[in-house]
Structures are given as C-alpha cells and as structure tokens.
Amino acid sequence: MQLDGIGRVQSPRIIHIGGGAARKVGEVLEQLGLKRPLIVTDENLVALGHVQAVTGALEKGGNAWGMFDQVVEDPTDVCVDAGLAALRAGNFDCIIGFGGGSPMDTAKAISFMSVNPGHVRDYKAPRQIDHCGPPVILIPTTGGTGSELTRWCVITDTERTEKYNLSGLACVATAALIDWTFTTTKPWRITADTAVDSLTHAIEAYVSRKAFAYADAFALAAMPAIASNVRAACHEPENGEARAALMLAASQAGMAFSNASVALVHGMSRPIGAHFHVAHGLSNAMLLPAITRFSIGSAPARYATCARVMGWADDQHSDVSACERLVEHLEALNADLKVPRPSDLGHLADAETFALMAEQALASGSPQNNPKVPSCAEIIGLYHDNW
C-alpha cells in the first residue's frame, strides 16, 4: 500500500445505481446537452429485448438514435474499426455502451479512436489516452467487469494475437447507469464468471502495490458482497437481492481497481483470452487461487484482511492461518461454481506458447503491481501448473 504520494481518482460525472436506472438515459442525455447517441451493443442483447428498454426511454425523451450491434466477445481491433465506421456514418454526438464488458470497452475505444490517429494498438498501456472523444454513457448488463466506472478498456489485436490494456481519461465514461434488473437473464456460467471477475478486481486492488485508502474502501465493501451472494445468484437467477448486491459490488470493485490497478491474475489472464478465447472472468477464476497462494507471503496482512472481511477467517486466526483459509475458500468457491482448468476445455499449450504468454503478461504492466513481482520463468511455471 502507498503510504506517501497522492492517490489518483477518476470516475464518471454522473452515476445512477439501482433497479430501473437504465430508464434514466433520456434524462441523463438532456442533462448533458446530448441528443443523438450511437448505441454500441451485441446481437444477443437485441434478441433478448433488453436494448428496447433503452431505445424506448430515448424515444420518450425525443432522442434520435442509431445502433451498432456487431460487438463480439473479447472485442477486437476489427470490431472497433467497424464501430468507428458506424459512428462516422451518422450525425451522432455521443455513444451508449450497452452490455457486458465487451460492448462497454468497445464503446470507449470507438470514442477515443474517433479523435486519435493511428491504430488502437498505438495507445496500449502504459500510454495514457487523455484526448477524449464523444461522451460515453455506459449501461452494464452483467455484474462483473466494472468497466462502467473504470479508466480502462481491453481490446484484442487480431494481427498479433495479443490482448492489451488501454487507459486514461478517454476511457472514463461520462455517465454510468447501473441497473441490476438486466442480470436476471444471465445463465450460471456468465453469472459465476463475472462475479469472480469482480472478486479478483477487489482482491487485486486491495493487495496492489498501488493501493491507497480511497480504493481500499471500495475493495473491502465489494469482497463480502460477492462472497455472500454469488452462489445464490447462480442457483436462483431471479433472486433480486443477490443480483443487486453483485451488481453494486462489481461497480465498487471497478472503482477500486480503476484507481489502484490490478495485478498478476489479470496480467496472466489476458493472454489466455487472446490465445484460447476463454472468457475473461473465467480465465481470472482459473488463476485466482493459485496466484493468491503464490503471492500471500509478500503481503500476508492484506490477504488476511481479505479472508476476514469475507467471513472466511476471524480475529482468532493468525495472518498465516487466515491466508491459508483464503486460498482454501477460493478453491472451494471455484469447485462450487464449476470452474474448469484450461485443459478441461480442450486447450493445449506447449512451452513456446507459455513463454510467449508470459512475455505478454509482463509487458502489460499488471504483474509489476503484484505483492510478489514474478520473473518470466515463474509466470511460465504458474501457467504450467494451472493448465
């Protein structure tokens, strides 16, 4: 944790949280002086009828709108270029990102690439993208990524088979409308994976070398909410209390990691997604217990607090014992949520692939935030053990 210096906080100007928040979209546009949004989403959300909740609210407010619904899972540079063409083809003054992390990240990238030259890869972290494009309003439909509140987005490079972080003011939404009611249609796998994604955000933000008190507060609020509600949300998809708690926790965890950064789990997770097309939350879940075990010796007090705040240990347990219980409960959570290993999904990797993935993980910068900063060889070993 940073004990000196200044912590940086970046967040949307307007945030609405709660059931029905999406219906505020027309009111928010009016407040911002905007009239003509391009909705960035995917075909599945259109088919489910969720997008109509947004378009209906827009039409009620007298807003003309267009739609780009070709977002793919783990959005690519090609997807961003197609969305950019859609933006430029119309007279739009803002962008609404509607969906999970993929549509929201695509919306961010379309916005900043509309005013910045070159290819999206030219702006990957640690470069900061501060030249902002049209305002972005984000409406999440999963309780996971927290992208609606972060200064990050993730795009996959189809030419280089690499997932990269993009960061800066241009990646911060102007407004976020966080409405848990969209999540009740999400199946077990998406519910579980996005919840563990949020849990990873919160834990990594709390143990990050860039952690500071403001971000800590969000991380510590998110962890127990996720631990207490994810199983209920998976088993009872219509459980509004559990869904609302997970959605709020996802946003809290997003605020935490947006400002304190993520660490080794995310650094290693992105290459798995890029090379094997494993959903981001699932690849985080695959790695979280083992990476926690690898890291706890370098920040035992912080990891012990994670265990205690989730009710997996108490003040009677030493930090060492609490850390062990943290790993045990993370492993039990994965078992309950039916998290597979990469090899269980049929993904085979050789030494050359592991080495490339390790290099890409280190290049992302996230492992350098980890309490125990790994070598390339250690990352290769962790990949091998987790496979």
Side-chain angles (χ1 to χ4, degrees):
M1 177 180 177
Q2 298 182 83
L3 296 178
D4 54 10
I6 298 172
R8 176 178 58 182
V9 178
Q10 296 171 320
S11 65
R13 293 162 61 188
I14 299 171
I15 302 171
H16 290 283
I17 302 177
R23 294 194 294 270
K24 294 278 191 179
V25 63
E27 175 185 319
V28 167
L29 290 186
E30 182 178 5
Q31 187 176 4
L32 294 170
L34 303 169
K35 292 292 292 183
R36 300 176 302 281
L38 173 69
I39 301 170
V40 174
T41 189
D42 61 51
E43 291 179 325
N44 184 54
L45 287 167
V46 176
L48 285 171
H50 288 336
V51 176
Q52 286 85 324
V54 175
T55 58
L58 290 172
E59 290 165 0
K60 185 177 180 180
N63 301 107
W65 54 270
M67 187 182 301
F68 173 71
D69 64 0
Q70 299 300 302
V71 175
V72 297
E73 187 174 345
D74 291 328
T76 65
D77 49 356
V78 174
C79 177
V80 172
D81 287 344
L84 191 56
L87 178 71
R88 289 171 171 162
N91 184 29
F92 302 112
D93 61 6
C94 60
I95 300 169
I96 295 174
F98 180 79
S102 294
M104 290 192 289
D105 283 3
T106 302
K108 293 180 180 184
I110 291 170
S111 174
F112 68 70
M113 286 308 299
S114 71
V115 295
N116 288 283
H119 189 276
V120 66
R121 77 169 67 92
D122 299 332
Y123 299 92
K124 67 182 181 179
R127 181 171 180 176
Q128 293 295 291
I129 314 164
D130 292 331
H131 184 195
C132 300
V136 176
I137 295 89
L138 297 181
I139 306 175
T141 62
T142 62
T145 70
S147 183
E148 67 276 5
L149 295 186
T150 77
R151 59 182 177 92
W152 300 91
C153 71
V154 179
I155 300 296
T156 298
D157 191 318
T158 54
E159 181 180 334
R160 301 183 180 180
T161 316
E162 179 183 1
K163 250 185 175 181
Y164 38 72
N165 283 334
L166 302 129
S167 177
L169 283 175
C171 295
V172 179
T174 305
L177 309 180
I178 304 165
D179 188 340
W180 64 265
T181 62
F182 292 116
T183 69
T184 59
T185 59
K186 298 298 180 287
W188 176 296
R189 187 74 272 148
I190 292 178
T191 299
D193 295 346
T194 53
V196 179
D197 190 16
S198 298
L199 183 60
T200 307
H201 292 155
I203 292 174
E204 291 209 295
Y206 188 68
V207 303
S208 168
R209 289 172 174 262
K210 296 181 179 178
F212 63 106
Y214 182 89
D216 285 353
F218 289 103
L220 291 171
M223 283 185 252
I226 298 163
S228 299
N229 288 283
V230 59
R231 291 176 176 89
C234 286
H235 287 288
E236 307 165 38
E238 299 288 336
N239 185 324
E241 184 176 343
R243 292 289 190 175
L246 288 182
M247 195 67 150
L248 176 59
S251 297
Q252 291 169 325
M255 184 65 80
F257 91 83
S258 178
N259 295 293
S261 296
V262 287
L264 181 55
V265 176
H266 274 75
M268 290 180 61
S269 172
R270 295 184 204 99
I272 295 176
H275 288 270
F276 300 101
H277 306 292
V278 175
H280 176 66
L282 180 56
S283 58
N284 278 343
M286 291 172 173
L287 294 166
L288 182 58
I291 302 306
T292 300
R293 185 178 293 280
F294 171 81
S295 307
I296 52 178
S298 296
R302 289 235 140 196
Y303 280 109
T305 297
C306 293
R308 293 186 184 110
V309 78
M310 288 187 281
W312 295 347
D314 58 34
D315 291 340
Q316 302 305 310
H317 293 96
S318 67
D319 284 356
V320 171
S321 176
C323 287
E324 284 298 319
R325 291 177 65 84
L326 174 63
V327 175
E328 290 168 3
H329 278 269
L330 289 174
E331 290 172 340
L333 182 63
N334 273 11
D336 289 348
L337 299 182
K338 306 173 186 177
V339 175
R341 289 177 176 270
S343 56
D344 295 333
L345 300 178
H347 300 307
L348 303 178
D350 54 23
E352 183 178 351
T353 303
F354 284 146
L356 175 59
M357 290 165 61
E359 291 174 4
Q360 291 175 340
L362 283 171
S364 74
S366 297
Q368 287 77 7
N369 301 325
N370 207 56
K372 180 179 180 180
V373 178
S375 66
C376 189
E378 285 174 318
I379 293 178
I380 291 171
L382 287 165
Y383 274 134
H384 184 273
D385 292 345
N386 273 271
W387 230 256

